[in-house]
Amino acid sequence: RERFSIYQARGKARGKKDTILLTGYYEPVFEGSLVAGPPFVYPLYGIPERLARRKNPATGKTQFGRKDEKGNFVSFWSRKEIDGTGVLRGEELVYLKDPLDAYLLHIQGSGRVKLQDGTIRSIHYGASNGRGYKSLGKLFVDKKIMKLKEVSIPSIRAYFNTHPEDITHMLNHNPRYIFFKWGDDKGPRGSTGEILTPGRSIAIDHDTFPAGAIGYLVSKKPVLDKSGSIESWITFSRIVFPQDSGSAIKGPGRVDLFMGNGQYAETAASHMKEEGKFYLLIQNSWELPQKSGTLSLITDID
């Protein structure tokens, strides 16, 4: 009470005031091969030699792009260009057997690959092509293929299994592309460099909220039955730590909870789209870096 103030996130620009949308992400495990060959033909790339970085003169933030033939800084190739033309051939890190598996690793940012000799190696985010993120789930809703509440990784996978002709152009809807590097056995690291803790580490918009604060989250999580299916949702509340960020996590109304790995993590993260409340404990000595109107000071503390 003497050293900290409690703030509540003002929440979504549209919808209920002071309410955030909570989603989940996890560390997937997919089969892969270091050598290309059917069915392992979908590559994950290392950080390309032609990827260039510079400080945006307007914002001071790092921009990713490439140099053209004249030495000018231009946008890096899009997902469609990278996957469709083989422009990065020779810079493959590992090959997966399903294009959706590769795409999901781009979305989750890190994971594990089980190689053909049984070895399991961690693979982590290395860089991006700098392009903006466009949601595959929103595309399904916009095309009226699914309703928002129906969108999940299992439902998307089921759709592509029955409509394989749609997968390429629908994945290309998202021009953003992630490049990877091999990691260690300590687990995935967030954008702050800290090792992520399942159920405690969260991704937020660090332009909106201070990364070093302590968070407190109130929302719902699923309960699974013996078969691994969701049987109910229960309310939970806990201390959380803003240790990560994400291209889809923007503004004061979004929080992404790291769920870890395994069946529960995959199922929970694949279905979690819950409303909740998000609070920050911020030291009074800090100069609060926030956009106007993103946080509300809580003065009545029980």
Side-chain angles (χ1 to χ4, degrees):
R1 291 176 183 270
E2 294 176 357
R3 299 183 180 182
F4 289 83
S5 294
I6 299 177
Y7 291 83
Q8 181 174 2
R10 295 297 299 271
K12 297 177 286 186
R14 299 176 183 176
K16 297 178 181 178
K17 182 182 177 182
D18 299 335
T19 298
I20 57 98
L21 172 64
L22 176 68
T23 51
Y25 65 114
Y26 71 110
E27 185 185 30
V29 181
F30 296 126
E31 292 185 58
S33 172
L34 297 177
V35 179
F40 299 101
V41 297
Y42 301 100
L44 299 177
Y45 292 99
I47 302 173
E49 292 184 3
R50 286 167 285 184
L51 185 69
R53 310 178 191 213
R54 73 171 185 181
K55 291 290 185 181
N56 185 311
T59 65
K61 295 182 180 180
T62 300
Q63 273 185 306
F64 292 101
R66 62 183 176 88
K67 297 290 184 67
D68 65 11
E69 295 80 1
K70 297 181 180 180
N72 297 316
F73 188 90
V74 297
S75 297
F76 203 82
W77 293 289
S78 67
R79 178 177 300 276
K80 182 178 181 180
E81 292 168 326
I82 293 171
D83 285 342
T85 66
V87 67
L88 296 182
R89 188 173 292 115
E91 301 190 68
E92 299 88 349
L93 203 61
V94 67
Y95 300 85
L96 305 185
K97 63 181 181 180
D98 188 305
L100 184 59
D101 290 351
Y103 183 86
L104 290 175
L105 270 173
H106 284 229
I107 301 304
Q108 303 300 327
S110 64
R112 299 184 185 186
V113 179
K114 183 177 182 180
L115 300 174
Q116 296 309 286
D117 62 359
T119 303
I120 297 178
R121 296 187 65 179
S122 294
I123 193 165
H124 294 173
Y125 171 93
S128 81
N129 65 347
R131 299 285 186 123
Y133 170 82
K134 291 187 177 180
S135 169
L136 179 61
K138 185 176 184 300
L139 180 63
F140 272 83
V141 175
D142 291 345
K143 286 182 169 290
K144 302 187 186 306
I145 297 173
M146 299 178 191
K147 296 179 180 179
L148 180 59
K149 64 181 180 180
E150 298 171 335
V151 175
S152 67
I153 293 175
S155 64
I156 290 175
R157 192 180 293 279
Y159 177 84
F160 285 143
N161 285 341
T162 56
H163 300 82
E165 70 281 1
D166 288 346
I167 189 167
T168 298
H169 73 85
M170 291 188 74
L171 295 186
N172 286 340
H173 170 73
N174 179 19
R176 187 173 178 83
Y177 208 91
I178 302 301
F179 307 114
F180 295 91
K181 59 185 178 181
W182 293 115
D184 52 35
D185 295 329
K186 296 180 180 179
R189 296 179 183 270
S191 59
T192 63
E194 297 292 332
I195 297 172
L196 300 179
T197 301
R200 297 288 178 177
S201 298
I202 60 173
I204 58 171
D205 183 352
H206 294 303
D207 287 337
T208 301
F209 300 128
I214 299 171
Y216 188 77
L217 182 64
V218 181
S219 189
K220 291 183 179 180
K221 63 179 182 178
V223 176
L224 307 188
D225 60 22
K226 293 182 180 179
S227 68
S229 299
I230 296 175
E231 65 176 9
S232 62
W233 291 78
I234 59 172
T235 300
F236 76 98
S237 56
R238 63 182 54 171
I239 294 287
V240 291
F241 301 93
Q243 296 171 325
D244 207 357
S245 59
S247 57
I249 311 302
K250 298 299 181 185
R254 290 288 281 111
V255 175
D256 208 16
L257 179 64
F258 178 63
M259 305 303 294
N261 57 52
Q263 182 183 22
Y264 180 81
E266 179 177 357
T267 301
S270 299
H271 292 86
M272 189 175 287
K273 294 188 288 287
E274 298 299 307
E275 291 185 342
K277 305 285 186 180
F278 179 54
Y279 304 88
L280 286 170
L281 282 71
I282 299 176
Q283 287 184 355
N284 294 329
S285 58
W286 284 12
E287 181 179 348
L288 185 61
Q290 61 150 316
K291 294 180 179 178
S292 177
T294 59
L295 295 171
S296 299
L297 178 64
I298 304 297
T299 58
D300 183 15
I301 304 174
D302 293 333

